Amino acid sequence: MKIFADHDSRMAALERKVGLFIFAGIGALVLLFVVIAIEQGMFASTTKLRLHTDDASNLHDGMEIRLSGFKVGKLVKIVLRDDGVIEATLSVDNEYLAHIRRGAKLRLVEQGLLGDSILEVIPGDRGQPALTAGEVLPFERQLGMDALAHDLVERLKPILDNLKTTTAEINRPDGLLQHAKSVAVQVEKASVTATELMRQTENAIATNNLKLNQVLDKTDALLVKGDGVLANAQQITSEIGEITTASSADLVPMIRDGRVVAEDARNIISSSKGVWPIRNFIDAGGEKILPMDSYGAPHVQGK
Amino acid sequence: MFRANKNIILLFGCLMLVACGSAPEKKSALGAQAIMHSERGTDAFARGDYARALNEYGLALRVDQAIEDAAGIAVARINLARVWREMSRSEQAHAQLDALFSPPVLAYPAASLAAAATLQARLYLEDGAVERAVYWLGRGDAVCQKKCPVGGSLLLLHAQLSMRDKHFQEAGRLIDEAVGLLDAHQQAVELANALRLSGEVAYALGDDASALSRFEQALLLDQRSGLPAKIRLDLLRLAQAAEHAGHQTDAQNYAERARAVGKAMSDGSEAPAAAPLR
């Protein structure tokens, strides 16, 4: 190559161009790496938190941690400790750490039927102190579809068992169904007897109706006579009404006169009471001293 | 002449009627109300409903005080004292009666003051305060002068004092005098008291036959008045007199009757024993 470069000046320029190209390429690669690293949050300032659980299912590295729908960090490491406890290390952006206070919880949530699981942060009370690095957050799982199904089966199982037992009881030879059948047969027999009884009753009623009709015929005759009496009574009442109407004109003045007479009589009697010697025979009224009782113990009066 | 005389007689008669006739004294509405309360109190007293009697007489007194009816006030206070006495509350009874002899002094009727003094004497005698009883008897005598309705009662109280001092002859004389003053219709209770006292005097003097007779008469009067406590007392006296006379069967019978009356009055429980004859 040196021979070419010595003899051809174009070769020297080409060498510079290739060098520049390679340098640019490496630069582009580095830039790409930097961008990706920034995108992945490699240069973000984070705080390490932890969670403890006894079941690592659905937990995996890189799992997103979300707070109110925002990605605030990720699960970076899961280890099984010597004491059997599974410890997951979480990396949470310091930018969002202010929203996660002591008392906050982590919940494993499935996103939809086929969605990934994420760790959702349930923030603590704002009045609580801020979290420090390495602090352990309480962890819980939201019931997934399989857990819900399992729960449903657990709840339905005793019901189905009872249903099965009940059906067996009903179908037993001496069970409820057989008993109901025998009762139905007895009811049928009773209804036949009742029908016969009703037929006999109808006959009896027919006979009694016949007798009753005879009695009613006699009563009709009596009523006819009663009508006559009533007519007479009406006539008498009518006559009394006529007499009253005729006398009513005189009655009011008579009552008024009667009142005057009564008032006069009252005055006369009242005046007479004050006249000697009548007043001596009339009790003057007024308050009277109880009769004196000068001998004997108290409580002398009858109860 | 005869005609002229006849006219003169007619004219004289008319004048006499006009002179004697007068419009009846009309009570005011409040006065009538006081009378109504007083009458209700008397009815309650007769039934033995002393709480009601106190209430009604109290209302009558208030009305009488409001219209300053001296006679009404005196009657209401005497009746209140009488009810308190029946309830064995002598201090309240004295308070009512003392009010009639304390300021403000109103023109109370003499008969009412005599009745109040008699009741005071009666209450003190019951409590054993003989001197106070004698004092009030003296005041009663001074007001009454044996002319008032309680004249007989005053004499009976004097007789009781004489009996206390074992002056039975004097007591007998006073009782006889009291019987002469008492009205058999208006004062049947006092008349029965007089007969019973007379029987006790006879018993003390050893005249069992007279004692039995007087007690029988007293019992008859008390039965008419319908006073169980008095009836029981008469029967007890009869039992004692009969026993003293040697009539054991009669005595037992009277005692049984007295026990039955006492049981009936006190709703089944035994009535308190009466004071023995002196």
Side-chain angles (χ1 to χ4, degrees), chain A residues 150-170:
Chain A
H150 181 73
D151 185 56
L152 193 64
V153 168
E154 286 298 316
R155 286 169 188 267
L156 283 174
K157 197 178 172 187
I159 297 167
L160 291 168
D161 287 346
N162 280 343
L163 195 63
K164 191 177 172 185
T165 311
T166 310
T167 313
E169 284 286 325
I170 288 169

Side-chain angles (χ1 to χ4, degrees), chain A residues 270-271 274-276 279 286-303, chain B residues 22 24 47 50 57 64 72 75 79 82 85-86 88 122 153 160 190 193 196 200 227-230:
Chain A
S270 179
S271 303
V275 176
W276 178 87
R279 67 184 175 198
E287 297 174 64
K288 291 188 186 65
I289 297 172
L290 285 166
M292 202 53 67
D293 177 18
S294 61
Y295 180 55
H299 305 286
V300 295
Q301 296 294 326
K303 299 264 173 184
Chain B
S22 58
R47 290 195 310 271
Y50 299 132
Y57 286 138
D64 285 327
V75 171
N79 287 343
R82 186 67 202 289
R85 182 234 167 192
E86 292 301 318
S88 301
R122 171 81 175 95
S153 300
Q160 287 176 63
E190 279 295 63
N193 286 339
R196 195 182 313 106
E200 288 179 14
L227 303 171
K230 296 278 189 188

Side-chain angles (χ1 to χ4, degrees), chain B residues 117-242:
Chain B
T118 309
L119 198 47
Q120 287 272 43
R122 171 81 175 95
L123 289 164
Y124 281 119
L125 200 58
E126 271 178 359
D127 294 340
V130 178
E131 282 185 13
R132 298 295 299 164
V134 170
Y135 167 77
W136 281 106
L137 275 177
R139 285 197 71 164
D141 287 336
V143 178
C144 185
Q145 300 288 333
K146 296 185 183 177
K147 292 173 191 166
C148 63
V150 294
S153 300
L154 283 165
L155 285 170
L156 286 179
L157 287 168
H158 278 295
Q160 287 176 63
L161 283 170
S162 296
M163 284 182 75
R164 282 178 70 96
D165 299 336
K166 301 198 184 303
H167 300 151
F168 298 116
Q169 299 289 350
E170 173 68 7
R173 189 190 63 76
L174 288 166
I175 292 164
D176 288 343
E177 196 179 345
V179 169
L181 291 176
L182 291 169
D183 183 337
H185 296 289
Q186 300 290 327
Q187 296 167 298
V189 178
E190 279 295 63
L191 197 56
N193 286 339
L195 288 165
R196 195 182 313 106
L197 267 176
S198 180
E200 288 179 14
V201 169
Y203 180 89
L205 293 172
D207 186 355
D208 294 333
S210 292
L212 282 167
S213 168
R214 300 287 166 81
F215 289 144
E216 282 282 5
Q217 290 175 49
L219 175 65
L220 205 64
L221 281 174
D222 287 331
Q223 282 174 334
R224 279 185 199 159
S225 302
L227 303 171
K230 296 278 189 188
I231 293 166
R232 178 173 167 272
L233 191 59
D234 295 332
L235 287 167
L236 286 172
R237 294 286 181 262
L238 278 165
Q240 285 170 290

Side-chain angles (χ1 to χ4, degrees), chain A residues 232-251:
Chain A
N232 283 341
Q234 271 180 340
Q235 192 180 345
I236 290 163
T237 312
S238 170
E239 283 170 5
I240 288 169
E242 284 169 15
I243 291 164
T244 309
T245 310
S247 60
S248 64
D250 301 329
L251 211 57

Side-chain angles (χ1 to χ4, degrees), chain A residues 51-155:
Chain A
L51 68 84
H52 289 164
T53 178
D54 53 0
D55 180 11
S57 55
N58 292 335
L59 289 174
H60 54 85
D61 292 349
M63 193 172 192
E64 282 185 2
I65 300 169
R66 287 183 179 270
L67 171 67
S68 305
F70 281 91
K71 184 186 169 187
V72 295
K74 63 181 178 183
L75 194 152
V76 290
K77 190 169 73 175
I78 300 175
V79 293
L80 179 63
R81 291 196 324 197
D82 294 340
D83 57 0
V85 175
I86 294 157
E87 186 177 273
T89 306
L90 315 166
S91 173
V92 177
D93 292 352
N94 287 349
E95 185 184 352
Y96 302 111
L97 200 61
H99 300 291
I100 308 168
R101 296 282 172 167
R102 189 162 293 162
K105 286 192 292 188
L106 286 167
R107 181 186 288 163
L108 184 68
V109 179
E110 284 181 14
Q111 289 187 312
L113 281 174
L114 302 170
D116 259 351
S117 296
I118 59 157
L119 284 168
E120 188 178 81
V121 178
I122 299 162
D125 192 356
R126 287 191 176 276
Q128 293 292 320
L131 291 167
T132 54
E135 204 156 331
V136 177
L137 292 179
F139 171 70
E140 63 184 27
R141 290 170 183 270
Q142 193 181 56
L143 285 178
M145 289 304 291
D146 54 343
L148 283 171
H150 181 73
D151 185 56
L152 193 64
V153 168
E154 286 298 316
R155 286 169 188 267

